[in-house]
Structure formats: structure tokens, C-alpha cells
Amino acid sequence: MANTNETIVTHKTSLWPPFLAITAGSLGIALTFLSSGQFMLGIAILFSYLILLILFIVQETSTQKVKAEEERPYPRHFFMWIFLASEVLFFGLLIGVSFIIRLRSTAWADLAQLLIELFGFNFQKSGRIPPVWPNASDVLNIPLTAVNTFILILSSVTMVKAVESIEKDYKQGLRNFLFFTAILGAVFLVIQLFEYYNLFTSGFTPDSNLFGATFYLQTGFHGAHVFLGIIMVFFIALKAHKGGYSKLNYSGVEAVGLYWHFVDLVWIMLFTIIYLI
Amino acid sequence: MNTDTREKNRPTNEVFIALAVLTLLEFLISYLDQILGQNLILPSLLGIAIVKAGLVAAFFMGILYEKNRRDIVLIVFIFPAVIALIIAVIPLFG
């Protein structure tokens, strides 16, 4: 607990996370333009998003005096939470729509029939033939991905340890654990790319079937989030190396930690939904 | 002024062990689909995944130690997830 004679100030209000959330929302518009053939417009929006992301990182890693934390009715890192809410909506839609597509397929005929009887769902509304849905274990390397899941969970642990280190003003610990977090995240991505390579060479591509399309869509977007997370960890590690954090000022580490854990949380759900069931 | 009131002695190692064990359990259960059947496998694996996600959110993200934890869970997780579910399900009506 905090020393009664010492006020630990850890919160810095920033408008960037909600700003990024709004920009991330425009990512959907960019994808719409790209998919409809208006490449220049789509790329311009994506480019704007990347610039804003870099500005956010620069702002978060810049050394500035943190104002004392005041009594406030909202949680710490309020805008980061709002940003994460937009991410829940984003991944919720990805997973939800993929789930519904799967319910229309040959995979879960019994469950689909149950939902038709209970809620009156119409899975054959479009009149199309139910898509073929292969067994995940026949296509995907589940043991390898289970190990990869373990690696991402481990990276969350090192991120927690990083925050705990700076809470105790143990700066070398912060640097070490941020380094391990970035390395574990990179290992996760390398294994995912290795998996993609093997799947592509064996003929399983996004064009193969709807399972392929939803698989690459969900894991690809998650991988992009891990990649962005590694960049964020890299930048706060850089700032930590310059002595930019102390037990009185580490809100940037906490904010990136929240994002990192959220990415881990999403993968926990994706691993079960895509690979195991 | 508002001092930092969060719990400093978080059970990080214990949560990590729980997550590792649950991941292993999920992995093993997924191979029992012929024995357990789809109707049992699906809720079991989803249940374990939700417990794991809950552990990450509660302990690693620190929601358990936040004063406004109920609001965070509702606004950040439940509300957007329900909206996403509704949007995903809408085309199935009618």
C-alpha cells in the first residue's frame, strides 16, 4: 500500500485513446473503400490512422510532468477503457459474425436447429447451400497454437511484473520485463506467421472456404493488434531506458499494459472458438 | 488528493498457473469430442474460455482493484459485447 506520507500519482488524463478509438472506427470505412475498389481513398484513411497512432505513441513516451491526481468520479485510464470498449465491439462483431456464419454451415446443424426452434432464427434466409465447415483439427495445428497461447499468457505475466517493478521504483526490473514482453509478443507473431506459411503451402487460404475466410480475418486482425502492442511496448521500453518512469509516474506503462492484456484476453477467446470448438 | 489504493500484492503467479492449467484442460477436452459429444464440449470449452478471460481482466488488467469495477465491466465489456451480438444476430430474424 502507499506510504501515508507519500502520494503516489499514477494517473494522467489523455484525450488520445478516445481519439484513436474514433480513428479506429474509421478503419472500417477504409476497409469498405478498399473492398469496393476505391484503393486510394482507403489507403489514405489507413495512412491517417497510422500517423495518429505514431503521434499517440510519441505523446505517451514524451517526458512531461504529471499533474497530481484529483478526486474523480471515473476510473483511472478512463479513455483507455473507452478505447478498449470500442475494441470489444470490434472483436465482438468479428467473432459474432463468424459464429453466425458457422451456425449456417454444416458444422453445427443440431445447434442451429435448436436456435431455430427457440428463437425463430432463419439460417437459410439467403437460400444458399450451407457452407462446408471442416473440422479445425483436420486443418489447423492445434498443439502448436496451444503453445503459442501459453506464450501470450506468459507475456501478460511479464507485463504485470513490469508494472509491479515500477510501482516499487525498480527501474531495471521494468526494463527487463518490458523487454521479455516484447520478445514473447514477437515469438507469438513468428509462430503465427509460421502457421500461416504452412497453411498456405498446404493450400488452405482465405479463398478456400468460409472457414478459411473467417480464420484469417479473426487471427489476422488479432495479429495486427499484437504487432501494434509490440511497437507500444518498444516505445515505453525506450522511455524506460531513458529513465522516463518512476513510481510517481508510470501511467504510460499501465495504459500499454491494459492494451496488452486485452489483446491476450481476445486471443484466449479466439483460441477456443476457432481452434477448439 | 486521491492516493493509490490498489492492491500491491497481486496473485500474479497463481493466476498464471491457473491460466496454464485451464489452457491444458481445454486442449485435452477438445480431443474428447467423440466421447463427450458436441452438446457438452461447446459449453464446457466456452465456459473455460470465459473463466480465463475473466481472470486476465480481473487480475492482470486490475479491474478487481478498481473502485469503479462494476461500471468498467458493464461499459467496457458487457455493453459492447451485447451490441455486437445483437448486430450479428439481426440478419437471422425474419
Side-chain angles (χ1 to χ4, degrees), chain B residues 8-84:
Chain B
K8 297 293 181 190
N9 298 315
R10 300 178 189 132
T12 308
N13 295 336
E14 290 82 351
V15 172
F16 170 61
I17 291 166
L19 288 170
V21 169
L22 287 171
T23 303
L24 185 66
L25 188 65
E26 273 188 311
F27 180 68
L28 295 174
I29 288 176
S30 70
Y31 281 94
L32 299 175
D33 57 342
Q34 298 297 325
I35 300 166
L36 297 176
Q38 192 189 71
N39 292 340
L40 201 58
I41 288 278
L42 195 67
S44 305
L45 291 176
L46 278 178
I48 293 172
I50 289 167
V51 168
K52 284 169 67 184
L55 286 172
V56 170
F59 293 100
F60 289 175
M61 295 178 86
I63 292 175
L64 199 63
Y65 312 121
E66 293 282 350
K67 281 190 298 186
N68 316 60
R69 52 183 170 269
R70 193 188 63 180
D71 297 340
I72 292 174
V73 170
L74 281 174
I75 294 168
V76 178
F77 294 99
I78 306 293
F79 189 57
V82 169
I83 290 175

Side-chain angles (χ1 to χ4, degrees), chain A residues 120-139:
Chain A
F121 288 165
N122 184 0
F123 291 101
Q124 308 303 329
K125 192 178 176 184
S126 62
R128 293 176 191 156
I129 299 166
V132 174
W133 204 272
N135 196 346
S137 58
D138 296 337
V139 182

Side-chain angles (χ1 to χ4, degrees), chain A residues 154-174:
Chain A
L154 198 58
S155 76
S156 257
V157 174
T158 55
M159 180 55 93
V160 173
K161 297 284 185 190
V163 175
E164 285 176 352
S165 295
I166 197 62
E167 279 175 352
K168 295 167 188 165
D169 219 18
Y170 177 37
K171 292 172 184 173
Q172 185 60 41
L174 170 69

